[in-house]
Amino acid sequence: MKNYIFSLLALFLLQGCGDYKDIVEMPEFKPISISVKGNITLEDIQEIEYLKVKLDNYNENIHREQEMDNLETALTDLLPGLYNITIDGKMTTKGGETFMLNGTLVNYPLVKNNEAITLEVKESHLGDLIFSEIYYAGSPKHYFRDQFYEIYNNANTTIYLDGLYFANLTPGTATNKLPQWPQEDEDNYCYAERVWRFPGSGTDYPLKAGESCVVSQFAANHQLSQYNPDAPIDCSTAEFEFNMNNPKFPDQPAKDMEHVFYNGLGVLGRVPQYLTSIFGGAYVIFKVPDGELYDPVNNTALQTKDLASSKTTLYAKIPINYVLDAVECGHNETKISAKRVPGLLDSGMTWVGNTYNKLAVARKVKSSRADGTPIYQDTNNSTDDFERGVTPLFRRNGEKMPSWNHSLN
Amino acid sequence: MKLFSKNKKHLFLSVACSFSCLCLSAQVDSYAALELQQELSFWKQGANPAGAWLDNPLTFSDIAFNMDYENGNFHRPMEGKSIRTIGLKTEGVVLLKKHYLKGFFNYTNRNVNEEGYNTSFIDPYRGMPYGVVDLNHSDWKNQYYDMGVRWAYPGLLHKWNVGIDLNYHAHSAAKQRDVRADIRYMMLEVRPGITWSIKENHHIGAYLNYYSTKEEANNMNVNNYVSQEYYELNGLGNAVQGIGTGRTTNYTGDNFGAGIDYSWTKGSSELLISSAYNLKAEKAEASFSLPRKVGSVRHAIWDNHLKFYTRSSGNFGHLIKLDYIYSEIKGVEYITQRDNTQEQSGWQTIYAGVRSKYKKQNMGINYSLIAHRKGEYKWLAKMAISYLTLADVYLIPASEKKIDNWVAKATFKRNIMFSGASTPRLLLSAEAIVNKNSAGSYIYSGEHPTYITVTEIEQGDYNYLESDYWGVNLVANYSQSIQAESNLRWYISGYFNYLKTDNLDFNNRKKMGVTVGCIF
């Protein structure tokens, strides 16, 4: 017993002295220099129009952008810290096709002076179908039924929503305690808590160029007295809703999204609401390629648990190459250190800064078509692509309503 | 977490309290006599416990109950709008043959009204920049237990005195609005010392000082439906914004220090020169379950004092004090990253460095003219001038807060003796104070200059510190023996303190209180 006490005492003193010495002898913070190199393995390159590197340290609010010369550049006078490093570019193939280029490192620790960093740069598929507005924060007096997601056709051709999927990823709320996924998955999947599918048999819900549709948690007029007169939005004209068969919040004229997956099952679950985090979730829309079957309920290879947790909750795997658009939201910029969406899908994060504050995030307009509909910015970085803290509004930039919207009939 | 098990704490309190009241055979004739004896006990005022016997110590016990109230808007941003305090103070010295034993025990209960921003510290200005603040001004309920003992033994090998101080402080505080804070603080201090008498009138001393501190701040929300906006401070206004319930922060620190003293006496003259250096390292970690380093400080204090007293022919004494205190805090910031690999080894520190410095210097000169009357004084006049300079810098991106202040004080005390067998005394004191700011600046060049940490907390603090002000402090103390020839003397004293500033951001601060006690 006595030996244990002395051992513990010695351990305590050694630990204490170690910390004391470290603190007392600590050197000063010093800026560092680094070099960044892009590694492009694509063949058939005719010309690289431009290539630039972007460094973002959201905790310190440091943002640097620099053109790359011959796939390489040096950056000096950088504060040590965690950075998102992104290479963006544009190239033309010998066949005349134009592709965007993208390489991303998320939360990379830049702490060594003169470190040489190499990023794999790949061709990037920018989405034709994108989230144009997301309202997740809720409104005063703890009302959250007014959440909605607006999805926009940014392309020049009609896209059919039938059979496309919507999912929110896990962890529902941004946290630094990230799940542990199976090693064999490598970086080929993102992981969903709940998956929904758009209804339709293939051509029922066309979304023409410049049109948008809204998917509401509950597609009612929330400003009615029985809901929340303080709500910022009337969702009764939404095209779709997540109907959870709750008698208090009955089925509305909007089409119901089809429930696909929750905790390994196809049923809705016990809690009669589909609430995504009011702090901000991570959302994806995805399309299963023709000829492939996506059934995460019956195909256990598309299910996994969080290996770092003792909980038995099952999550649905979504192959990254299925994803049309992904947006990650969090409490504020400091939560970028807790990113749960792979950088290839969204290298940033957007936020409204608080809960129940009646504010949304809306995508920035890059240009507009001849008919006045917007062309939205989509650089795979929601920090840059979204306006933060806007009052929720459907079709704020002149987007058109699809002809099959129930309110038009 | 319990800082001290309840039973042990009560036992310790009982022993300290009993000991500090257990001293009989009081040798003091009045409250002014006790005050004078304390003022001229140079070694007792110092940090070296071994010097206790070199002061010709008196045995006495002093028990007092006090009530204080202060209000007014001339205060630092993280101090309360008004504060009600009640307290019990006990101190006693007993000489058991050659053993000098001193004990003290103080209990203070503070009800703070509308304290701003702070959610991490019992004393937000104690020199730890890495705290959490929120937007909700709140009432606080604070309790302070402070206790300690000093033992000294003289004449080892005829020339050596030894001694030791043991002090323990346990404080707690609770913030009454979301973000709630439940804070516990404790400090345990050990200070062994030694003196060597070169000759009968030349003494040198040395001591070592170690103390350990721990402050634990638990933040939470009672109303879970409303997420609170809070800021994690990095110093001089730099902060990271958060939403939710704040955090649990664990502050642990160790201080190692040493001091030397030299004293000389001749007739009724005495000189004491002392110098001490303390170096404290304190770290702040978020969360107990998976600790993450959020910051640490290296706090060096160099403390220098000279005291000289001489009594001229007649009944006048002259007391001169010179002080120079240098304090430098270096704030270390950490870059951490959570390990989400299979090992799940928690938060990893990937970089650390000193990123802010807080320097403070205080120079002062103080002269007192004392008109003696037997063991007490008839009147006392004091003049003091001090110069305080603060130079705080944040290194990258560069920000600074600098202050230079001159403070002058003039005090006059009159000890009126009334006739009567119970030797009644009325001690009146009036003090005037003038603070003049000679230079100052607050320049913030960091990110988010609109955060409240910049616009209200640091700018507000700068506005307070650079304010010119004047003030008065009036004290009246009446004391008498409980009966003729009795060693038990009771007293009642009241004070009124008023500070008035020219700064249009503020107005004034008033503090008043009453103390009832007895000496025996």
Side-chain angles (χ1 to χ4, degrees):
Chain A
M1 184 64 189
K2 198 186 285 181
N3 287 340
Y4 277 120
I5 292 169
F6 281 125
S7 302
L8 280 172
L9 192 64
L11 195 66
F12 171 76
L13 284 172
L14 283 173
Q15 172 68 26
C17 289
D19 284 342
Y20 186 89
K21 193 167 174 286
D22 288 347
I23 294 168
V24 164
E25 295 175 355
M26 192 67 74
E28 286 186 4
F29 242 72
K30 289 271 193 289
I32 58 169
S33 300
I34 60 160
S35 66
V36 179
K37 187 179 175 186
N39 186 23
I40 303 179
T41 52
L42 300 170
E43 295 173 356
D44 202 25
I45 299 173
Q46 172 74 34
E47 183 198 4
I48 294 176
E49 193 175 312
Y50 70 88
L51 206 60
K52 61 187 178 187
V53 64
K54 191 161 174 270
L55 268 66
D56 296 293
N57 179 333
Y58 293 94
N59 267 332
E60 302 278 358
N61 203 19
I62 297 169
H63 307 282
R64 293 266 297 268
E65 196 172 292
Q66 197 162 304
E67 292 284 340
M68 298 182 82
D69 184 18
N70 201 18
L71 294 177
E72 201 165 353
T73 192
L75 295 110
T76 57
D77 210 23
L78 279 172
L79 208 58
L82 295 176
Y83 284 81
N84 284 2
I85 307 172
T86 312
I87 293 178
D88 281 320
K90 195 174 177 183
M91 73 162 204
T92 313
T93 63
K94 286 174 183 165
E97 283 184 289
T98 301
F99 285 105
M100 303 304 287
L101 294 169
N102 181 270
T104 304
L105 282 175
V106 176
N107 288 321
Y108 187 82
L110 287 183
V111 292
K112 291 179 206 153
N113 197 22
N114 298 321
E115 185 179 1
I117 297 157
T118 302
L119 266 75
E120 293 298 321
V121 180
K122 297 176 180 173
E123 67 180 85
S124 167
H125 298 277
L126 297 183
D128 292 333
L129 199 64
I130 54 173
F131 287 101
S132 56
E133 181 158 340
I134 300 174
Y135 170 54
Y136 57 82
S139 43
K141 297 173 189 161
H142 321 125
Y143 188 79
F144 50 74
R145 307 277 174 185
D146 49 355
Q147 291 181 327
F148 73 84
Y149 314 86
E150 184 172 338
I151 295 165
Y152 181 69
N153 183 352
N154 210 29
N156 291 321
T157 54
T158 298
I159 296 170
Y160 291 93
L161 297 173
D162 310 53
L164 299 189
Y165 292 81
F166 172 98
N168 68 297
L169 304 183
T170 189
T173 302
T175 169
N176 284 296
K177 188 183 177 187
L178 292 174
Q180 182 73 45
W181 303 119
Q183 262 184 338
E184 62 271 22
D185 286 4
E186 297 180 344
D187 294 327
N188 296 324
Y189 296 92
C190 53
Y191 302 87
E193 275 182 354
R194 198 183 285 268
V195 181
W196 299 84
R197 185 170 50 224
F198 285 86
S201 56
T203 54
D204 293 344
Y205 302 106
L207 205 60
K208 293 178 186 167
E211 288 183 348
S212 71
C213 72
V214 176
V215 188
S216 286
Q217 185 197 132
F218 172 49
N221 180 359
H222 299 280
Q223 293 163 333
L224 295 175
S225 57
Q226 68 266 37
Y227 299 125
N228 182 21
D230 207 14
I233 192 81
D234 167 5
C235 287
S236 61
T237 60
E239 281 74 18
F240 301 98
E241 70 169 347
F242 300 109
N243 179 17
M244 295 289 283
N245 299 329
N246 184 339
K248 288 184 181 171
F249 300 94
D251 192 15
Q252 298 295 311
K255 302 289 178 190
D256 290 352
M257 294 287 282
E258 294 172 0
H259 189 261
V260 174
F261 176 95
Y262 177 65
N263 194 14
L265 301 171
V267 293
L268 292 169
R270 281 179 300 173
V271 181
Q273 65 185 27
Y274 177 55
L275 166 67
T276 61
S277 172
I278 50 171
F279 290 99
Y283 320 95
V284 294
I285 40 178
F286 62 98
K287 181 181 180 182
V288 179
D290 292 341
E292 288 190 32
L293 181 68
Y294 183 71
D295 184 1
V297 174
N298 295 307
N299 181 0
T300 53
L302 290 172
Q303 298 176 354
T304 182
K305 286 189 272 192
D306 171 8
L307 304 179
S309 169
S310 56
K311 291 182 181 170
T312 56
T313 309
L314 289 168
Y315 301 101
K317 294 183 187 178
I318 302 170
I320 276 181
N321 59 355
Y322 286 10
V323 176
L324 301 174
D325 192 30
V327 175
E328 178 159 21
C329 304
H331 305 56
N332 57 27
E333 62 267 48
T334 64
K335 284 294 178 188
I336 292 188
S337 62
K339 265 186 73 62
R340 64 274 215 214
V341 173
L344 192 64
L345 299 181
D346 181 0
S347 58
M349 182 184 273
T350 187
W351 59 88
V352 296
N354 212 328
T355 55
Y356 302 113
N357 61 2
K358 301 201 287 188
L359 296 177
V361 293
R363 197 177 283 271
K364 293 175 185 169
V365 176
K366 193 167 86 177
S367 58
S368 59
R369 296 188 180 89
D371 64 356
T373 56
I375 297 173
Y376 280 114
Q377 177 177 316
D378 183 17
T379 65
N380 268 348
N381 184 330
S382 54
T383 312
D384 295 338
D385 291 345
F386 279 80
E387 297 282 352
R388 297 184 285 272
V390 299
T391 300
L393 186 67
F394 291 177
R395 301 181 178 91
R396 67 176 55 243
N397 294 307
E399 297 94 331
K400 291 180 179 170
M401 184 183 272
S403 58
W404 41 267
N405 182 297
H406 65 87
S407 67
L408 299 176
N409 300 318
Chain B
M1 184 180 153
K2 298 285 181 198
L3 298 172
F4 208 72
S5 78
K6 204 172 175 182
N7 289 338
K8 282 181 182 169
K9 189 161 139 184
H10 284 171
L11 179 67
F12 192 84
L13 293 181
S14 308
V15 170
C17 191
S18 310
F19 171 71
S20 59
C21 303
L22 229 169
C23 313
L24 302 175
S25 311
Q27 297 175 358
V28 288
D29 297 327
S30 70
Y31 193 82
L34 179 64
E35 193 184 274
L36 184 65
Q37 199 272 341
Q38 307 270 37
E39 186 77 10
L40 298 181
S41 297
F42 288 172
W43 283 93
K44 186 186 175 194
Q45 290 170 39
N48 189 341
W53 277 106
L54 301 173
D55 276 336
N56 297 320
L58 291 179
T59 61
F60 74 96
S61 292
D62 184 3
I63 302 176
F65 174 75
N66 67 289
M67 286 191 295
D68 303 87
Y69 176 72
E70 63 181 287
N71 72 354
N73 70 358
F74 186 43
H75 61 85
R76 300 180 82 171
M78 290 196 275
E79 291 175 338
K81 186 177 170 187
S82 64
I83 303 171
R84 282 188 170 79
T85 306
I86 58 169
L88 172 72
K89 292 183 179 174
T90 67
E91 184 184 359
V93 173
V94 64
L95 307 174
L96 297 173
K97 295 187 178 173
K98 291 172 80 174
H99 296 274
Y100 170 99
L101 288 164
K102 185 186 105 173
F104 72 91
F105 168 75
N106 300 332
Y107 167 74
T108 309
N109 184 308
R110 276 161 61 98
N111 280 300
V112 183
N113 177 238
E114 286 194 45
E115 180 172 311
Y117 313 109
N118 171 35
T119 66
S120 283
F121 303 108
I122 295 175
D123 173 8
Y125 293 107
R126 71 175 175 83
M128 165 51 80
Y130 304 107
V132 176
V133 296
D134 72 347
L135 306 179
N136 298 328
H137 287 217
S138 171
D139 293 352
W140 285 71
K141 293 187 183 300
N142 301 1
Q143 294 196 87
Y144 305 80
Y145 295 91
D146 304 290
M147 62 208 80
V149 292
R150 170 173 283 188
W151 169 80
Y153 190 83
L156 286 174
L157 303 173
H158 306 294
K159 289 190 171 185
W160 297 88
N161 291 359
V162 293
I164 190 166
D165 278 342
L166 297 170
N167 297 318
Y168 176 68
H169 306 270
H171 303 165
S172 65
K175 182 169 178 255
Q176 305 295 305
R177 279 182 74 188
D178 290 351
V179 172
R180 309 277 166 152
D182 180 5
I183 305 174
R184 310 294 168 99
Y185 170 88
M186 81 94 190
M187 174 186 173
L188 188 62
E189 181 176 32
V190 182
R191 198 186 306 127
I194 192 165
T195 64
W196 180 51
S197 300
I198 304 166
K199 289 182 180 175
E200 197 177 327
N201 58 344
H202 291 275
H203 312 280
I204 57 172
Y207 61 90
L208 299 173
N209 189 26
Y210 169 78
Y211 65 78
S212 173
T213 63
K214 176 177 168 58
E215 185 161 25
E216 182 186 318
N218 291 292
N219 289 161
M220 74 204 88
N221 283 346
V222 169
N223 183 352
N224 290 315
Y225 287 108
V226 179
S227 298
Q228 299 293 336
E229 186 177 322
Y230 65 88
Y231 298 83
E232 298 184 356
L233 302 178
N234 286 325
L236 281 183
N238 291 277
V240 177
Q241 191 187 39
I243 305 160
T245 59
R247 69 176 185 215
T248 294
T249 317
N250 186 31
Y251 302 92
T252 50
D254 292 290
N255 177 89
F256 293 93
I260 53 171
D261 311 277
Y262 166 74
S263 80
W264 166 86
T265 54
K266 187 172 184 183
S268 58
S269 298
E270 183 178 359
L271 170 76
L272 179 78
I273 300 170
S274 57
S275 180
Y277 183 79
N278 278 277
L279 186 59
K280 178 181 167 187
E282 183 177 11
K283 64 179 177 182
E285 290 183 326
S287 166
F288 284 107
S289 51
L290 214 60
R292 172 174 63 89
K293 284 184 179 171
V294 295
S296 59
V297 294
R298 172 198 189 275
H299 190 177
I301 300 179
W302 187 36
D303 225 333
N304 302 281
H305 303 280
L306 180 148
K307 293 170 192 159
F308 176 71
Y309 172 76
T310 186
R311 189 163 176 170
S312 57
S313 57
N315 280 327
F316 290 105
H318 308 270
L319 175 65
I320 296 169
K321 292 182 188 175
L322 300 175
D323 304 297
Y324 174 70
I325 301 166
Y326 175 89
S327 159
E328 186 186 54
I329 296 171
K330 290 182 177 175
V332 175
E333 286 184 32
Y334 296 86
I335 296 167
T336 55
Q337 192 167 34
R338 180 154 171 160
D339 175 20
N340 283 304
T341 63
Q342 200 83 35
E343 287 75 29
Q344 292 281 329
S345 51
W347 288 94
Q348 305 297 305
T349 298
I350 54 177
Y351 188 83
V354 172
R355 206 165 167 191
S356 53
K357 294 180 181 179
Y358 309 85
K359 203 180 284 184
K360 183 161 78 175
Q361 293 181 81
N362 195 344
M363 287 163 265
I365 180 165
N366 184 319
Y367 169 73
S368 299
L369 176 63
I370 303 164
H372 288 274
R373 181 172 61 203
K374 294 187 180 170
E376 55 184 349
Y377 63 83
K378 186 178 178 184
W379 56 262
L380 182 152
K382 190 193 297 187
M383 284 291 296
I385 294 174
S386 60
Y387 175 66
L388 173 75
T389 171
L390 302 177
D392 299 345
V393 291
Y394 198 82
L395 301 178
I396 314 173
S399 295
E400 65 171 43
K401 184 165 79 174
K402 293 184 173 171
I403 294 285
D404 286 354
N405 278 354
W406 287 93
V407 187
K409 284 183 187 175
T411 312
F412 184 77
K413 293 185 176 188
R414 179 78 171 91
N415 183 26
I416 302 168
M417 183 170 69
F418 298 102
S419 59
S422 57
T423 61
R425 298 282 192 279
L426 178 63
L427 178 61
L428 298 173
S429 168
E431 181 178 79
I433 179 169
V434 176
N435 181 88
K436 183 72 183 165
N437 174 257
S438 56
S441 62
Y442 173 52
I443 300 166
Y444 181 76
S445 307
E447 298 299 331
H448 308 298
T450 57
Y451 277 5
I452 57 151
T453 54
V454 180
T455 58
E456 295 183 27
I457 297 177
E458 287 298 329
Q459 185 64 52
D461 195 45
Y462 170 74
N463 293 347
Y464 172 85
L465 294 171
E466 62 99 38
S467 296
D468 291 342
Y469 65 86
W470 60 268
V472 291
N473 188 29
L474 304 173
V475 186
N477 177 299
Y478 177 81
S479 67
Q480 68 168 67
S481 299
I482 201 99
Q483 59 187 16
E485 305 298 319
S486 171
N487 282 333
L488 181 63
R489 188 171 188 85
W490 66 269
Y491 62 88
I492 180 166
S493 71
Y495 71 89
F496 175 73
N497 181 284
Y498 179 77
L499 296 179
K500 170 74 178 166
T501 177
D502 301 333
N503 190 328
L504 295 176
D505 291 333
F506 308 102
N507 186 10
N508 61 43
R509 186 79 168 172
K510 299 177 284 290
K511 188 173 181 182
M512 60 211 83
V514 62
T515 301
V516 179
C518 65
I519 312 164
F520 53 94

